[in-house]
Amino acid sequence: MAVNIEIKARATDFLRQRELAGGISDSPVELLEQTDTFFVVGNGRLKLREFADADAELIHYWRPDQAGPKKSEYTIVPVPDPALLKSVLSAALGTRGVVRKRRHLYLVGHTKIHFDEVVDLGEFIELEVVCSTQEQQRQGPIVARGLMKQLEIVEADLIDRPYIDLLGN
């Protein structure tokens, strides 16, 4: 399983915060259109992520529902036939709900900064500090908090659950 240290927050000034991210990003912003279909599972969360360009991946992850930097463990598998897999998983497990979003992706070091426009929810910021070593896992919360400052994210902006839960699904 791969590991990230993550935070999720409501964006208080989406355009300004994106501008701040652009000023520290190591590469140009990438725009992604994503549809995440969540399935009913007993352990963690399971979603099929479909991209506008027809690529897709199955993602199983576990992370605690808490505000602030938290460890997320995940596995991502490329999916060559998303329609077929969605049909099979829906029949076998049941569909919990769907999250549609437009994501602006910035890269800063080994951190992914996502500015998400989520249908029926609003504007959010996610930080994913990618941790390939134990040392990066220990430093991850420090990196996340430093980026929170740079992006003007305060504790009151933090949210403790994924979009699918915020949608009430």
Side-chain angles (χ1 to χ4, degrees), residues 7 9 17 125 127 148-149 151-155 157-158:
I7 68 106
Q17 289 170 303
I125 304 170
L127 304 178
M148 285 174 58
K149 278 186 180 178
L151 298 173
E152 300 176 352
I153 300 169
V154 298
E155 294 291 323
D157 300 334
L158 297 176

Side-chain angles (χ1 to χ4, degrees), residues 4 6-11 14 17-18 21 29-30 32 34 47 49 51 63 101-108 111-118 123-130 147 151 153 163:
N4 284 341
E6 299 185 11
I7 68 106
K8 186 187 305 280
R10 291 196 181 275
F14 197 69
Q17 289 170 303
R18 279 191 52 212
V29 64
E30 183 179 354
L32 305 167
Q34 300 176 337
K47 65 185 173 186
R49 172 164 290 160
F51 298 92
R63 71 172 173 250
K101 65 182 171 281
R102 181 180 185 157
R103 171 168 279 179
H104 304 264
L105 170 63
Y106 298 85
L107 300 174
V108 177
T111 302
K112 297 176 184 177
I113 303 173
H114 304 144
F115 285 84
D116 293 338
E117 299 169 80
V118 183
E123 298 170 332
F124 298 86
I125 304 170
E126 286 186 353
L127 304 178
E128 292 181 355
V129 183
V130 179
L147 286 169
L151 298 173
I153 300 169
Y163 302 135

Side-chain angles (χ1 to χ4, degrees), residues 5 110 130-143:
I5 302 300
H110 57 274
V130 179
C131 302
S132 55
T133 67
Q134 291 286 27
E135 179 60 25
Q136 287 174 335
Q137 284 184 44
R138 283 190 291 280
Q139 294 297 315
I142 297 165
V143 171

Side-chain angles (χ1 to χ4, degrees), residues 72-120:
S72 176
E73 299 175 281
Y74 62 96
T75 303
I76 299 176
V77 179
V79 175
D81 189 341
L84 178 59
L85 183 61
K86 186 188 310 184
S87 174
V88 170
L89 290 176
S90 294
L93 303 173
T95 301
R96 183 169 172 214
V98 176
V99 174
R100 289 177 180 81
K101 65 182 171 281
R102 181 180 185 157
R103 171 168 279 179
H104 304 264
L105 170 63
Y106 298 85
L107 300 174
V108 177
H110 57 274
T111 302
K112 297 176 184 177
I113 303 173
H114 304 144
F115 285 84
D116 293 338
E117 299 169 80
V118 183
V119 174
D120 297 326

Side-chain angles (χ1 to χ4, degrees), residues 46-65:
L46 182 67
K47 65 185 173 186
L48 175 64
R49 172 164 290 160
E50 297 174 89
F51 298 92
D53 67 2
D55 285 342
E57 53 195 22
L58 186 66
I59 304 169
H60 177 259
Y61 68 99
W62 181 92
R63 71 172 173 250
D65 290 340

